[in-house]
Amino acid sequence: MLSRLTTERSETTLNASSIATGRTRMSVIKNLIQRPMRELDTWRDVIRGFSPAWFTASMGTGMVSMLLYGFPYEWSPLKYIAMGIALLNLLMFVVFLVLFIWRLVQYRDFFNILLHPQMSMPLGAVPMAFTTVITSMVTILESYDISWMPMLALVLWCINIAFAVLSFLAIPFLVTSHQKHAFEKVNATLLLPVVPTVVASSAGAIVASVHSGTTAVAVVLISYALWAMGVGISLMLITFYIVRLVLHKLPPPETIASAFIPLGPLGQSSYAIQLLGVQALRVFPDALPQMTYLGEVLHSLGFFLGLLIWSLAIWWFTHAIYSVLYTRFRGPVPFNLGWWALIFPTGTFVSSSGELWDLTGYTFFRILASTVTVGIVALWIVVILNTIRYAWTGELLKPINISHLELHTYVEGEDVQSPEQRV
């Protein structure tokens, strides 16, 4: 009898605890819904706090749509899911672009952003996000035989490479001439302004696939030039970043997700050189008959270089995973926009693996690409839900003061917070 009473009391306590927990959760959810942007002083802070780092969300979403559309194992519903995500990415890019332009027009602080050592780096995400929109459009609409699509894709690609080259040339110069940086505080975001040319080169190969003749040849040649520009500087910066890791160890938890960023130029350059090799084999023999074997040489070279760079990317992929897990085991990793660095760079590795499968037919690459894609999609769901949550509360939109910057010098002990570190 006594044990029965004890059991009933325990059950009653458990039920009361469950009800209390449920009420607490409901009150939290209700509070979130009823008080949007509660972390901001005014709704105008939404515009004032909007930074180019938001475009990394568009990059990641566009990458997910492309990975699902080209999933190695055919399943027709995936195509429609990918189309839906591609439309979501288009909407995100347009909204982000409007908000960013609104900020620049209203506050006229573009030059302050350019001179800021953290906020200027994600400016490279703008053309890369635009690239995902272009590649999604070409890949998805190609099968519908729309007459105006190839020309529209070419025009958009030309606009994109203008901004990619501008980012590639201008921001690294400001890094070396005006901005202040401390070696121990440098992270992999230094790569963001130079990677857009590599990303644009892969988009060039995709755009060239819907063209022929001199147009296709010109696009392929320009894409090779863009590839060489971006890969060369990226490898130099990756070497610089490794030295920083050796001397000062891993970044703090707030920016540990940036450990995946070097995977981006490696995976994307491998993917791009393979795609360009395929297009070179298609267009060069007829367009450049004076160089008979150029197409075959570039096709073979594309596969060989793609495999070598892909192999180098494996090392960085595993190192980035170890870095994030090691940091997480030592303590919490706060959520911020930097988490989007987990999506796009890993997606480039999958794209490279998928292209190797297309060229070789080896099942290993097919299984690898499929497995990592599933992981990326799961991670994307987690990241985008948290982004919506913290954007709703306003924590991701808190403005930072960039109106006064000290150039050329570094004050010991100063901690300059980037938009990716604010939450």
Side-chain angles (χ1 to χ4, degrees):
M1 186 72 176
L2 183 60
S3 65
R4 189 157 143 205
L5 284 172
T6 305
T7 304
E8 288 177 355
R9 284 179 184 173
S10 299
E11 289 178 354
T12 304
T13 305
L14 266 169
N15 290 334
S17 175
S18 300
I19 292 170
T21 304
R23 286 176 178 171
T24 303
R25 288 175 181 170
M26 287 300 296
S27 66
V28 170
I29 294 172
K30 187 178 179 180
N31 187 46
L32 283 174
I33 294 173
Q34 292 180 345
R35 297 184 59 197
M37 306 297 167
R38 68 176 188 271
E39 298 294 331
L40 302 180
D41 296 330
T42 171
W43 279 87
R44 295 183 63 181
D45 286 346
V46 172
I47 304 300
R48 188 70 179 90
F50 191 85
S51 78
W54 278 92
F55 286 93
T56 58
S58 176
M59 288 170 57
T61 303
M63 176 58 74
V64 169
S65 71
M66 293 304 299
L67 293 180
L68 288 179
Y69 195 83
F71 195 71
Y73 293 93
E74 288 290 333
W75 188 48
S76 55
L78 274 182
K79 300 286 186 184
Y80 297 103
I81 295 173
M83 290 179 187
I85 297 176
L87 288 175
L88 172 63
N89 179 47
L90 175 60
L91 177 63
M92 290 171 63
F93 180 77
V94 172
V95 170
F96 293 165
L97 191 62
V98 169
L99 290 175
F100 189 50
I101 293 174
W102 187 353
R103 174 198 169 131
L104 298 182
V105 171
Q106 182 169 348
Y107 294 99
R108 300 178 183 179
D109 58 353
F110 181 63
F111 289 105
N112 286 333
I113 292 175
L114 280 176
L115 297 176
H116 196 278
Q118 277 79 40
M119 286 192 70
S120 61
M121 299 300 114
L123 285 171
V126 181
M128 287 192 282
F130 191 24
T131 301
T132 65
V133 173
I134 297 170
T135 54
S136 297
M137 181 189 71
V138 175
T139 305
I140 293 174
L141 297 183
E142 183 180 7
S143 58
Y144 292 93
D145 195 24
I146 300 175
S147 58
W148 48 262
M149 188 272 291
M151 184 54 64
L152 175 61
L154 181 62
V155 172
L156 293 178
W157 180 72
C158 290
I159 296 172
N160 185 50
I161 62 173
F163 284 101
V165 172
L166 188 61
S167 169
F168 176 82
L169 296 176
I171 299 177
F173 171 75
L174 294 174
V175 169
T176 58
S177 63
H178 290 73
Q179 296 176 4
K180 59 176 182 178
H181 291 269
F183 188 46
E184 65 273 16
K185 292 183 179 292
V186 168
N187 58 46
T189 56
L190 204 61
L191 284 160
L192 290 178
V194 302
V195 180
T197 55
V198 181
V199 179
S201 70
S202 63
I206 295 173
V207 171
S209 68
V210 295
H211 287 274
S212 59
T214 55
T215 302
V217 171
V219 171
V220 171
L221 290 176
I222 293 171
S223 297
Y224 270 114
L226 292 170
W227 183 89
M229 291 164 60
V231 171
I233 302 300
S234 294
L235 291 176
M236 296 178 195
L237 291 175
I238 289 173
T239 304
F240 172 79
Y241 182 59
I242 290 178
V243 174
R244 177 252 178 257
L245 290 178
V246 170
L247 296 179
H248 300 287
K249 309 311 171 191
L250 297 176
E254 294 79 10
T255 59
I256 190 60
S258 65
F260 276 84
I261 292 179
L263 181 62
L266 296 176
Q268 193 70 25
S269 59
S270 173
Y271 177 57
I273 199 66
Q274 293 177 74
L275 288 181
L276 289 172
V278 172
Q279 293 307 312
L281 182 62
R282 182 179 72 90
V283 302
F284 282 172
D286 294 332
L288 300 172
Q290 64 273 28
M291 293 182 279
T292 312
Y293 299 105
L294 181 60
E296 294 181 3
V297 170
L298 290 176
H299 182 260
S300 301
L301 192 62
F303 165 71
F304 184 65
L305 283 177
L307 180 63
L308 293 182
I309 301 173
W310 175 87
S311 304
L312 178 58
I314 287 179
W315 182 89
W316 203 276
F317 188 30
T318 55
H319 182 273
I321 293 173
Y322 293 157
S323 300
V324 172
L325 292 179
Y326 174 75
T327 303
R328 178 63 186 87
F329 288 150
R330 296 186 65 188
V333 177
F335 181 80
N336 51 59
L337 287 176
W339 279 41
W340 282 100
L342 302 170
I343 309 297
F344 186 86
T346 310
T348 65
F349 177 74
V350 173
S351 299
S352 175
S353 302
E355 191 62 24
L356 286 171
W357 170 62
D358 286 341
L359 293 177
T360 64
Y362 289 161
T363 307
F364 166 76
F365 293 115
R366 187 183 193 186
I367 295 174
L368 177 63
S370 304
T371 304
V372 181
T373 296
V374 172
I376 290 175
V377 173
L379 190 59
W380 173 75
I381 294 172
V382 172
V383 174
I384 197 168
L385 289 178
N386 275 282
T387 302
I388 294 171
R389 173 190 172 190
Y390 286 109
W392 182 263
T393 63
E395 291 187 49
L396 291 178
L397 292 163
K398 292 179 181 177
I400 60 175
N401 183 19
I402 60 170
S403 58
H404 301 289
L405 293 173
E406 298 175 22
L407 306 181
H408 305 294
T409 60
Y410 169 68
V411 180
E412 190 66 34
E414 182 182 16
D415 185 16
V416 182
Q417 259 197 333
S418 68
E420 296 83 355
Q421 297 174 285
R422 287 189 301 225
V423 180

